[in-house]
Amino acid sequence: MAVTTVNRAKLASKRTTAEQAIAGIDVKGKVAVVTGGSSGIGVETCRTLALHGAKVYLGARSAEAGQAVIDSIRWAVGAGSGLQLQLLVLDLSELASVRRAAEQVLAAEAAGEAAAGVQLLILNAGVMACPLMHTQDGLELQTGVNHVAHFYLTQLLLPAIKPGADGAPARVVSVASSAHQFAQGMPMDDLNWEKRSVAGKYGPWQSYGQSKACNVLFGRELARRMSAEGRPVLAFSLHPGIIMTALQRHQSGLVKAAIRWMTAPWQKTTAQGAATSIYAATAPELTSAQSGSYLTDCAISPSSKLTSDMAVAAGLWE
């Protein structure tokens, strides 16, 4: 496909698209794993990486939904495009499914000394502001899906996460949210909301905020650990922006309408919403010195005091 010239110094904008974020960057031969690839910005993330030559494992809870996205991307591009899109059935509400998905990737990409490994892991999937529900493993749904399952997937894949043929460091990208600011503390003894829910203190948005704070803290501590071990793996977290997608499915029609009306000036398209994920995963200007950073609108941005506390980040990891 034709190469688009973009002034990368001007990418820091809420209007930047995923295509603009990746313009001029060579990802051919890289292997990417993307969770939540069958809806919202996950579709655009997978599409953009595949169009630019990466081999993409499209993670989806439903095999039918995931394959439908793959087929639609291929149909739009045309037969014979050679896109490398691989379905990865991955239900983040079931840790056994997470393990099976990781084993599929490892069998294909980490077997033998010449194996390609994984260069890009994009932890994109999530649930938002849902009522008190639990995963199949008994975890509070938002903490379990948004944080624990992604933590587990990363741990399973970490032995295979390594630079590609170009020698550039591999990257782990966590799609967080500005809602991480809703978390005023990180109760290590009640991350699963057992004590607070019994006391009637469960709040859908408070839980969402806690899970997104975990995403930012996870990125910071992963970056620290990889640096300490001398491993060429960078980690970033990000706020994608406000995008009206299936993520709002647990909200009533009235609440959705209110959100749409109140946030209209700041809303992004899915192409714009995926831009910061693509930027975090591929931008050459993000170096080891910035690893662990939180990004907004394709630029490094400050996060809350809580999510900047490395002691909390280390404690969460344990």
Side-chain angles (χ1 to χ4, degrees):
M1 61 186 299
V3 176
T4 302
T5 301
V6 170
N7 182 344
R8 299 194 62 79
K10 295 184 178 180
L11 288 177
S13 165
K14 67 180 181 181
R15 299 307 176 201
T16 297
T17 65
E19 281 291 342
Q20 290 169 332
I22 204 172
I25 297 174
D26 185 8
V27 294
K28 293 183 179 66
K30 291 185 183 291
V31 175
V33 176
V34 182
T35 69
S38 63
S39 64
I41 64 173
V43 175
E44 183 67 12
T45 300
C46 291
R47 186 193 73 83
T48 300
L49 290 171
L51 283 176
H52 287 266
K55 178 180 181 180
V56 180
Y57 284 88
L58 186 151
R61 182 175 57 180
S62 162
E64 292 76 15
Q67 190 59 52
V69 169
I70 291 173
D71 292 344
S72 68
I73 293 173
R74 286 180 172 154
W75 179 85
V77 176
S81 62
L83 295 187
Q84 298 185 79
L85 281 161
Q86 177 73 43
L87 175 65
L88 183 68
V89 177
L90 172 60
D91 184 349
L92 292 167
S93 70
E94 180 189 359
L95 294 180
S97 175
V98 176
R99 175 172 283 280
R100 288 193 296 271
E103 289 172 347
Q104 178 183 334
V105 174
L106 292 172
E109 307 299 342
E113 293 183 4
V118 174
Q119 286 71 57
L120 308 174
L121 174 57
I122 303 179
L123 308 173
N124 167 79
V127 291
M128 185 180 81
C130 54
L132 180 59
M133 302 165 68
H134 294 87
T135 70
Q136 296 184 46
D137 303 286
L139 300 171
E140 187 272 323
L141 188 65
Q142 297 191 84
T143 299
V145 169
N146 296 351
H147 171 57
V148 176
H150 279 141
F151 181 96
Y152 186 46
L153 178 64
T154 304
Q155 292 299 312
L156 293 172
L157 293 180
L158 203 52
I161 298 177
K162 64 180 184 179
D166 62 358
R171 302 193 187 194
V172 178
V173 176
S174 299
V175 178
S177 167
S178 61
H180 75 268
Q181 298 173 82
F182 295 166
Q184 299 303 306
M186 190 59 62
M188 299 298 182
D189 64 340
D190 195 33
L191 291 176
N192 204 38
W193 289 88
E194 293 167 335
K195 298 177 182 178
R196 285 172 288 173
S197 63
V198 168
K201 295 182 179 179
Y202 179 83
W205 284 104
Q206 291 89 331
S207 174
Y208 180 64
Q210 175 184 288
S211 71
K212 296 290 100 178
C214 287
N215 294 158
V216 181
L217 289 162
F218 170 71
R220 295 202 189 281
E221 179 63 8
L222 178 60
R224 187 196 68 78
R225 288 177 178 243
M226 294 297 95
S227 177
E229 294 175 16
R231 290 192 58 183
V233 178
L234 310 184
F236 301 97
S237 63
L238 62 97
H239 170 55
I242 301 171
I243 311 102
M244 300 305 294
T245 68
L247 191 62
Q248 288 87 21
R249 61 185 174 275
H250 292 290
Q251 309 306 307
S252 68
L254 183 61
V255 170
K256 288 180 184 177
I259 292 174
R260 185 177 291 109
W261 179 76
M262 290 187 296
T263 64
W266 301 279
Q267 283 179 28
K268 294 183 177 183
T269 65
T270 51
Q272 293 165 344
T276 306
S277 295
I278 293 295
Y279 182 83
T282 64
E285 56 267 31
L286 291 177
T287 68
S288 58
Q290 288 88 38
S291 187
S293 295
Y294 171 76
L295 286 74
T296 301
D297 295 337
C298 298
I300 293 174
S301 177
S303 69
S304 67
K305 182 178 180 180
L306 173 68
T307 57
S308 300
D309 189 329
M310 292 306 297
V312 176
L316 182 65
W317 193 280
E318 301 301 332

